[in-house]
Amino acid sequence: MSTNTIHNSLSRRSFLRNSSLAGGGLLIGFNLFQACKPKVIQEPAIDLASLDYNDFNAFIKIADNGAVTIFSPNPEVGQNVKTSMPMIIAEELDVAWKDVYVEQGILDANNYTRQVAGGSQSIRFGWDALRQTGAAAKQMLVSAAAARWGVDPSECTASEGVITNAAGETLGYGDVVKEAAQLEVPEDVPLKKPSEYKIMGKPTPNVDIDKIITGKPLYGMDYKAEGMVYASVLRPPFGQKLVSYDDSEARAMSGVVDIFTIGDKLRAFAETTPRITNIISDSDKVVVLANSTWEAMKAKNAIKAEWEEVTKPESTEEHDKILTDLLDGNKFDTRRSDGNITKAFAEADQILERTYESPFLPHSCMEPMNFFAHVTDEKVHLVGPIQTPEGTAGFVSGLLGRDAEDIHLEMTRIGGGFGRRLYGNFAIEAAEIADKSKKPIKLVYSREDDMEDGIYRMSIKYRIKAGVKDGKVTAYHLKEAAINSNMYGLVPNFFPAGAIENYQVDTASYQSNITTGAWRAPYTNFLASAEQSFFDELAELMEVDKIQLRLDLLDNVKPEEDESIQYSPERMKEVILTAVEKSGWGKKPDNVYQGFVNYYCHNSHVAEVADVEIENGEPVIKKITCVVDCGIVVNPLAAKNLVEGGVLDGVGHSMYSELTFKDGKPTATNFDSYRLLRMKEAPIVETYFIDNGLSPTGLGEPTLPPAGGAVSNAMKAATGNRLYEQPFTKTPELLKVPEKEIIG
């Protein structure tokens, strides 16, 4: 018989010191519960708070009844790390998934690294470390059981939390955890082969799904504390600062607790950390504290403020000209240069040059920006939805002049991030408000707050030029002009880098007072659409097959000779050919018009095909076929959700979404004036994964960038018109189906 009474004493630091978990650059924790026999946990569920826990190592805590808790340090933004990462460790630990429980960890820079949700890198960076975590713990438990039996560990096996020897005797993990915790952490522990997986690769529901659908507290907006009041902030338009304000009407309103300004501490902090002003205005801001969000926001709207111009308020019309002038100019930073494009263009038989344009976009997170803060002499208590907890805690530490150890930050589940919550300007504001008011406060943005004072996807223009000589693409020149910042280091090494002998990427930017930052799949979210539309038009110019052009270019790539190349031509070819097969490319009825794209970003290879049909004389996007090579798929259910979400995000924003500015203010402030994809417009998404057994790569972002290009190319097939400007509905005349000639 196996029991599950557990005690242990292996410290967190000794586990970290003796293991190789840090090798992957990310130490992840989880909540695995009940590493023991099936049926040990009975309904009703265990009261986790009542269990007597002992530390097993930096990640795993085991209770005296055998329940195992492994905390997940990474922020959960809907990308499913809170489910998929525990699946990885549970697989190697050999516990039954039904006995696994998961909780969110707090910020802990001493024991974990890269507590970040960004770049679609959580699973990729954590893959080896997480497997080693589970496998090492399992080996220690098996060794402890073998010692008790007086046999060699090689004679024992473990499955679903139960260890069995050659004689058929069994011990639960809970029976031996005390002895196991005293053992030295083993090195070079063998890991399972993909063919041996029991948990990974199986569709697994989100561990929070019951709480999500029943409205249990999970999100930042759900958090409450005793004595907490709500804050709403009146912020200046871009390029302006506060001169004065009249709050007499607001102070007389029901529920108002206090009204004051903040800004002194931020300005002092900005003197030593000037980059902070890239995400938050250093003007004074007017704060309303009230007993509810409605009362706080209503009072804020009653305040009469006078603003003064600091820098010229900017408008979209002005930005459009600035970006065009940058493309026409000669002041660029060259990000990659192969061969001699000047000579190649001079010798070309044919040249194609096109310009592509994209607008500002807000992040449109469903959960509004919010953060809790309570500043006391003992500590700074922060709670809320943030993708960069360590960086945000560092900013708050500097802002308030407090030691890093004083900052206690708890992460909640995030109701949409898409890059917006990489920037903790709302947490910084909350901390300054709490410090000045000496009250526990919850700062809450309205939708208008976030759209009027957001951190947006920057407006970008691309100009692409290609030269053709003797039926081959011999030159390629990509120019980028962007508001505030340009593509990061690796992007110039994505496809078609290495495929064209004479290849150059140049960038230029204009520094605006409008705050911008990462938006789901930064830069590639529009670049993919532009480049893939260009390749289709280039194939038409060359009078060659569109798919074959891409395959021929990939034949030229030799990554073994150029380590800067980021993608695999072989893996790219496989997703292309699979997409051709699965989509029925070129074999659809005459009323189905298709558009093809392939793209690499966030370490994954993707190909997509859009199907457009004509309904009532208008082109309608009916289906997107998406093929993804992201290596091993840990959780197919979550992976499919990520693929579909990325595709629909890409389709919707390329078709409909645009944020323009007039005199420093956005012209849309809520969803009545800002267009998103509607449910009736969402196409079917068919998803296929390449099963190659390779380590996982990114998945939260890679399917979004190609979607716009697939739609653009399909619309060209349906209407005969090329689309160069997003959103595509901005030029409705190009989306009209030409009238067919009437004969007779």
Side-chain angles (χ1 to χ4, degrees):
M1 293 290 292
S2 61
T3 62
N4 292 278
T5 302
I6 305 166
H7 300 282
N8 71 74
S9 60
L10 182 64
S11 73
R12 294 182 174 189
R13 292 193 183 279
S14 65
F15 183 80
L16 288 172
R17 185 176 62 249
N18 293 323
S19 70
S20 58
L21 292 177
L26 174 61
L27 302 180
I28 302 300
F30 310 81
N31 292 330
L32 298 180
F33 261 110
Q34 193 54 42
C36 54
K37 268 190 174 181
K39 300 183 181 178
V40 170
I41 297 179
Q42 303 289 343
E43 294 295 340
I46 288 177
D47 178 6
L48 306 182
S50 69
L51 299 180
D52 180 19
Y53 284 106
N54 297 277
D55 281 356
F56 187 74
N57 57 46
F59 306 94
I60 303 171
K61 290 170 64 177
I62 302 180
D64 54 3
N65 72 335
V68 181
T69 303
I70 306 177
F71 293 91
S72 176
N74 273 34
E76 174 57 70
V77 197
Q79 81 281 42
N80 205 62
V81 293
K82 196 175 174 184
T83 302
S84 297
M85 286 181 158
M87 288 175 67
I88 298 171
I89 203 169
E91 182 68 71
E92 295 290 353
L93 186 59
D94 255 320
V95 294
W97 179 249
K98 68 181 183 62
D99 296 333
V100 172
Y101 294 74
V102 182
E103 290 184 3
Q104 177 67 57
I106 65 171
L107 173 64
D108 184 354
N110 291 326
N111 288 304
Y112 308 113
T113 61
R114 202 186 183 276
Q115 284 187 275
V116 173
S120 299
Q121 298 298 294
S122 293
I123 295 292
R124 177 173 174 255
F125 275 112
W127 175 246
D128 290 332
L130 299 177
R131 290 190 299 157
Q132 291 166 6
T133 299
K138 171 186 167 183
Q139 184 60 56
M140 295 163 72
L141 291 159
V142 169
S143 295
R148 184 180 295 187
W149 284 320
V151 300
D152 192 276
S154 63
E155 299 177 21
C156 304
T157 60
S159 179
E160 297 196 344
V162 178
I163 305 161
T164 305
N165 64 19
E169 297 174 301
T170 64
L171 287 168
Y173 282 0
D175 294 316
V176 295
V177 69
K178 184 175 181 180
E179 298 97 313
Q182 312 306 316
L183 300 176
E184 184 176 347
V185 178
E187 297 181 2
D188 301 321
V189 181
L191 302 174
K192 288 184 177 181
K193 300 175 182 177
S195 61
E196 299 173 319
Y197 293 160
K198 301 174 184 176
I199 297 174
M200 287 195 289
K202 303 294 189 298
T204 304
N206 188 314
V207 296
D208 283 337
I209 192 63
D210 289 342
K211 291 183 178 180
I212 291 171
I213 62 177
T214 58
K216 299 292 192 304
L218 275 174
Y219 297 92
M221 285 296 291
D222 298 324
Y223 187 83
K224 293 180 174 62
E226 185 176 353
M228 184 181 83
V229 294
Y230 293 87
S232 186
V233 177
L234 182 63
R235 303 173 182 85
F238 291 109
Q240 299 184 39
K241 70 176 182 178
L242 182 68
V243 176
S244 63
Y245 67 98
D246 178 358
D247 64 0
S248 55
E249 181 181 348
R251 283 188 177 276
M253 297 176 75
S254 174
V256 173
V257 174
D258 198 2
I259 298 176
F260 53 85
T261 61
I262 57 169
D264 290 341
K265 293 214 167 190
L266 180 65
R267 285 189 291 275
F269 181 46
E271 291 181 4
T272 57
T273 312
R275 62 192 173 96
I276 196 67
T277 57
N278 293 333
I279 63 168
I280 185 170
S281 169
D282 62 359
S283 166
D284 277 347
K285 305 175 188 72
V286 186
V287 178
V288 176
L289 296 186
N291 293 322
S292 70
T293 54
W294 173 245
E295 290 168 325
M297 291 176 183
K298 191 175 179 182
K300 179 196 72 175
N301 292 336
I303 294 173
K304 299 175 179 63
E306 180 183 350
W307 310 103
E308 178 181 85
E309 185 176 302
V310 178
T311 56
K312 182 178 179 294
E314 299 178 14
S315 300
T316 294
E317 184 177 349
E318 176 188 11
H319 291 152
D320 183 69
K321 184 179 185 306
I322 288 170
L323 294 180
T324 298
D325 288 346
L326 285 173
L327 290 178
D328 291 339
N330 55 13
K331 294 181 179 179
F332 291 95
D333 292 322
T334 297
R335 306 284 177 164
R336 179 175 174 126
S337 180
D338 301 338
N340 186 330
I341 60 167
T342 302
K343 182 173 182 292
F345 280 122
E347 297 175 351
D349 300 324
Q350 297 172 295
I351 292 177
L352 179 69
E353 182 175 272
R354 293 290 183 264
T355 301
Y356 301 85
E357 305 177 14
S358 66
F360 285 96
L361 293 177
H363 290 82
S364 304
C365 306
M366 288 298 96
E367 180 190 19
M369 300 304 111
N370 67 92
F371 226 76
F372 170 85
H374 189 198
V375 178
T376 65
D377 292 341
E378 290 73 33
K379 69 175 180 179
V380 178
H381 186 194
L382 303 173
V383 184
I386 186 70
Q387 292 178 242
T388 50
E390 186 173 359
T392 298
F395 280 147
V396 171
S397 172
L399 176 82
L400 301 182
R402 301 288 291 261
D403 292 337
E405 292 74 18
D406 291 345
I407 313 298
H408 175 84
L409 191 151
E410 300 174 31
M411 290 168 280
T412 61
R413 191 177 181 93
I414 302 174
F418 314 108
R420 173 63 181 91
R421 297 185 213 263
L422 290 169
Y423 308 97
N425 56 320
F426 46 94
I428 294 167
E429 283 184 347
E432 189 168 5
I433 294 167
D435 181 65
K436 187 164 185 175
S437 69
K438 305 306 178 186
K439 299 178 184 294
I441 68 100
K442 166 77 78 66
L443 171 64
V444 181
Y445 280 43
S446 65
R447 179 65 56 194
E448 289 80 3
D449 287 338
D450 199 35
M451 290 188 75
E452 290 177 353
D453 189 62
I455 294 176
Y456 312 98
R457 184 189 82 168
M458 61 285 294
S459 179
I460 294 179
K461 290 190 180 187
Y462 289 109
R463 182 167 293 165
I464 308 175
K465 183 178 179 181
V468 179
K469 176 71 173 176
D470 298 328
K472 304 290 184 183
V473 183
T474 55
Y476 190 91
H477 190 190
L478 171 66
K479 294 180 181 179
E480 176 188 79
I483 300 294
N484 288 335
S485 62
N486 294 110
M487 65 176 73
Y488 53 88
L490 296 180
V491 176
N493 300 314
F494 294 177
F495 181 78
I500 300 167
E501 183 178 359
N502 304 288
Y503 172 87
Q504 187 164 313
V505 177
D506 290 332
T507 63
S509 65
Y510 166 74
Q511 294 305 302
S512 168
N513 56 34
I514 295 173
T515 50
T516 61
W519 189 95
R520 192 174 185 179
Y523 303 101
T524 61
N525 53 51
F526 177 58
L527 176 58
S529 177
E531 285 194 311
Q532 288 296 305
S533 296
F534 183 82
F535 276 118
D536 252 38
E537 191 167 357
L538 184 60
E540 292 170 359
L541 175 70
M542 297 171 66
E543 298 182 338
V544 299
D545 181 82
K546 297 168 183 176
I547 306 296
Q548 195 59 50
L549 172 62
R550 291 164 165 89
L551 295 174
D552 289 345
L553 288 171
L554 288 167
D555 283 338
N556 298 333
V557 183
K558 295 178 175 54
E560 67 279 1
E561 298 178 7
D562 183 355
E563 293 182 355
S564 66
I565 298 297
Q566 295 299 303
Y567 61 96
S568 161
E570 291 76 19
R571 295 175 77 170
M572 185 69 85
K573 287 179 187 176
E574 187 167 10
V575 295
I576 290 173
L577 296 175
T578 304
V580 167
E581 174 196 350
K582 299 298 185 182
S583 68
W585 175 260
K587 300 178 181 178
K588 290 297 180 87
D590 291 343
N591 66 326
V592 178
Y593 303 89
Q594 294 186 301
F596 181 90
V597 293
N598 62 279
Y599 203 68
Y600 166 92
C601 64
H602 299 88
N603 311 102
S604 293
H605 301 75
V606 177
E608 296 180 18
V609 176
D611 288 4
V612 167
E613 298 180 19
I614 307 302
E615 293 184 354
N616 301 318
E618 296 183 356
V620 177
I621 307 163
K622 303 296 286 188
K623 186 173 78 170
I624 307 288
T625 303
C626 184
V627 178
V628 182
D629 179 353
C630 60
I632 292 171
V633 176
V634 174
N635 183 354
L637 178 61
K640 186 171 182 288
N641 289 338
L642 285 172
V643 168
E644 292 179 354
V647 169
L648 294 178
D649 217 359
V651 169
H653 283 90
S654 63
M655 282 292 295
Y656 305 111
S657 301
E658 177 183 33
L659 191 69
T660 60
F661 287 83
K662 180 72 173 175
D663 297 328
K665 297 180 180 180
T667 56
T669 59
N670 211 318
F671 294 142
D672 60 337
S673 51
Y674 179 74
R675 183 77 156 85
L676 289 167
L677 181 72
R678 295 166 182 162
M679 290 182 69
K680 67 179 182 179
E681 296 161 340
I684 294 169
V685 180
E686 283 189 3
T687 303
Y688 300 91
F689 294 102
I690 301 297
D691 183 8
N692 53 23
L694 298 174
S695 297
T697 53
L699 195 54
E701 294 164 282
T703 65
L704 184 153
V711 169
S712 174
N713 290 337
M715 289 295 181
K716 165 58 170 63
T719 67
N721 299 320
R722 282 280 165 201
L723 300 169
Y724 301 103
E725 187 174 0
Q726 290 189 2
F728 300 144
T729 50
K730 188 174 182 178
T731 51
E733 67 278 6
L734 298 180
L735 296 176
K736 291 182 179 179
V737 178
E739 295 183 8
K740 293 184 178 179
E741 182 181 359
I742 300 175
I743 301 176

